[in-house]
Amino acid sequence: MISEEMNGFLGRYTTQGSKKISTTVKEQRAELEAFMSPLKIPEGVLIEDLVLADRPARKYVPAEAKLDRALLCFHGGGYRVGSLNGYNSFMAHLALACKAQVYGLDYRLAPEHMYPAALDDAVAAFVELSQTIAPERIMLVGDSAGGGLALACLLVLKKRGLPGSGAAALLSAWLDGTASGESYGDRRAEFQHAMQNYAGEYPLDDFGISPLFGDHEGLPPLLIQVARNEPMRDDSTQLHVLALDAGVESRIEIFDSAFHDFQVFTNIPEARAAISGIGAFFLDVVV
């Protein structure tokens, strides 16, 4: 049965389509952080700021964490917005669910830093983290654009002959800058334009921008979560099929009565249940 909290969010999603979005990236960043930062941080998680691969980062360590494994998390926000402050609650809940330390990366954002800046930061962070924690004991996690960044990171690591992570969890992931899936409907041009604002002069089907079109053979186990009625749904369902065809272990969870990126709004019971599912996946495949 759908929760009251989810009903409230779904109602806002239905009505906000006609509302004007803030005009500047600075305003969008400030509004998103102000909206997400008040989400409750669960007790029992130590939070520490640090530097990872020359970028600001934040570590979340629950009391019962196994310190020989970790998650590296890339926040969503269309490669233009999103912050560690806004993701404090999500990453702390994730640390508790996985019983592991979570590292959140403050990667560079467009338009100040265009592609491949974010991807370079993601790869460098994973390489540095894997010097202290075995790469097969690290799980990459990303939501929306962060999910695309996580998958692109794995593809780059493979192309360079470097060890990849032991698993990846992709949440409502933005994997196709060309917006080729039927689920985009009449919003296809909107999403293409948004991705072009990150890609700059690079083609939208470049695998670093659209990792759906990469070579998925040899990737680690994937957990894919997506809402049934979101525009990016087909990115996830197509990846699941392609991954299985490439011999990759892939699990997909499609959520009814949900919305894009609902998992990060930890005041919704369904989000906390999805995070628990991520924890179960991590504890199952990362040994």
Side-chain angles (χ1 to χ4, degrees):
M1 185 175 181
I2 186 171
S3 69
E4 291 184 13
E5 294 87 346
M6 179 63 85
N7 256 330
F9 267 85
L10 288 172
R12 283 195 289 271
Y13 265 71
T14 301
T15 58
Q16 74 178 9
S18 60
K19 294 182 180 179
K20 186 177 181 180
I21 299 174
S22 300
T23 54
T24 70
V25 173
K26 183 177 180 180
E27 290 174 339
Q28 292 171 21
R29 290 172 182 168
E31 288 184 6
L32 183 61
E33 184 166 313
F35 182 61
M36 294 184 64
S37 293
L39 292 170
K40 185 177 179 180
I41 299 172
E43 296 180 359
V45 180
L46 178 66
I47 302 176
E48 174 189 352
D49 287 327
L50 65 147
V51 175
L52 185 61
D54 296 324
R55 290 299 304 165
R58 191 165 290 167
K59 181 167 69 171
Y60 304 78
V61 186
E64 55 181 336
K66 294 183 178 180
L67 300 181
D68 64 344
R69 61 204 64 199
L71 291 78
L72 178 56
C73 189
F74 307 131
H75 67 74
Y79 298 104
R80 292 162 62 85
V81 302
S83 67
L84 296 178
N85 289 338
Y87 275 68
N88 270 333
S89 179
F90 171 70
M91 289 192 279
H93 276 90
L94 196 59
L96 286 173
C98 295
K99 299 180 181 179
Q101 42 194 342
V102 171
Y103 290 80
L105 181 69
D106 182 20
Y107 59 86
R108 288 172 291 173
L109 298 174
E112 298 92 336
H113 305 283
M114 304 292 282
Y115 176 81
L119 182 53
D120 288 344
D121 290 345
V123 172
F126 178 82
V127 170
E128 183 170 306
L129 186 59
S130 65
Q131 293 173 1
T132 55
I133 299 173
E136 66 270 16
R137 289 187 169 178
I138 301 172
M139 181 166 80
L140 297 184
V141 180
D143 64 292
S144 194
L149 193 56
L151 184 58
C153 178
L154 288 174
L155 295 175
V156 169
L157 290 167
K158 185 179 77 163
K159 184 177 181 180
R160 295 181 183 175
L162 298 172
S165 67
L170 311 176
L171 321 178
S172 291
W174 195 11
L175 306 173
D176 177 8
T178 72
S180 62
E182 291 185 5
S183 58
Y184 283 97
D186 59 8
R187 299 185 64 185
R188 181 167 288 109
E190 172 191 342
F191 280 92
Q192 290 171 339
H193 177 71
M195 188 63 88
Q196 199 69 64
N197 287 334
Y198 164 62
E201 297 180 355
Y202 286 84
L204 293 182
D205 60 356
D206 184 294
F207 80 86
I209 296 164
S210 296
L212 180 66
F213 305 133
D215 176 8
H216 306 116
E217 185 176 357
L219 293 185
L222 303 177
L223 173 65
I224 302 168
Q225 292 184 343
V226 68
R228 187 175 301 279
N229 294 322
E230 65 170 284
M232 298 176 192
R233 181 199 64 216
D234 286 355
D235 289 21
S236 291
T237 56
Q238 290 178 57
L239 173 64
H240 177 61
V241 172
L242 291 170
L244 291 175
D245 287 346
V248 175
E249 178 185 344
S250 180
R251 310 177 192 180
I252 189 166
E253 299 174 353
I254 302 176
F255 293 84
D256 296 314
S257 301
F259 56 91
H260 175 69
D261 219 0
F262 74 95
Q263 299 94 329
V264 304
F265 297 101
T266 54
N267 54 335
I268 304 176
E270 289 87 346
R272 297 193 296 273
I275 292 171
S276 294
I278 299 168
F281 172 73
F282 177 80
L283 293 170
D284 182 36
V285 302
V286 177
V287 296

